[in-house]
Amino acid sequence: KLSPGGRHYANIWQGKFPRVNSAEDGFAFTAPAHAFPAQNGYGLKNMLGNVWEWVEDWWTTKHIASAAEDPSGPAMGSEKAKKGGSFLCHKSFCYRYRTVARHHNTPDSATTNNGFRCARSVSPAPARASGEEAGQSSSLSSEL
């Protein structure tokens, strides 16, 4: 369902594609990153719709079967992969406003419906020494 409980969670095309975007979600073109509520239990926003997001991988349709989790694309290529769909996606046209949706384009493409997401890896918190209380440092770290 595109608008559970009557609430929009993504910026996609509403209306008759490609002539009339009724902008029922509040936006005829791109929307600010904070415009919609989280789209999943992790609290992530804009993972689908709004703009296609370039990813690190080069485009391929042939992934290694053994790489079931986070398969990477080839080392080189002529087109980059992008994910998530955009405000130009409509069920009559591309129907790709899903987090697993993938598409491709050349790296030098410049369109209003392509973008990128800044991300970083987060290291897990270091394990506490045995007997160490929260908020207290161990004797070793206090000596350093």
Side-chain angles (χ1 to χ4, degrees), residues 62-76:
K62 300 173 184 166
H63 290 285
I64 300 167
S66 62
E69 188 174 310
D70 194 21
S72 60
M76 298 284 295

Side-chain angles (χ1 to χ4, degrees), residues 44-131:
L44 300 174
K45 298 179 179 184
N46 276 328
M47 294 301 291
L48 55 122
N50 208 31
V51 295
W52 284 98
E53 295 177 349
W54 294 104
V55 296
E56 181 178 10
D57 297 335
W58 290 99
W59 174 257
T60 186
T61 56
K62 300 173 184 166
H63 290 285
I64 300 167
S66 62
E69 188 174 310
D70 194 21
S72 60
M76 298 284 295
S78 60
E79 295 183 302
K80 295 294 277 184
K82 53 188 183 173
K83 298 186 87 168
S86 80
F87 69 91
L88 292 175
C89 285
H90 184 268
K91 64 183 177 182
S92 69
F93 177 63
C94 67
Y95 210 62
R96 295 193 186 234
Y97 33 80
R98 304 174 302 131
T99 55
V100 296
R102 295 169 56 249
H103 207 324
H104 53 95
N105 219 329
T106 58
D108 60 354
S109 295
T111 64
T112 59
N113 68 328
N114 282 331
F116 62 92
R117 177 177 295 271
C118 296
R120 67 181 174 110
S121 297
V122 178
S123 301
R128 294 187 180 153
S130 159

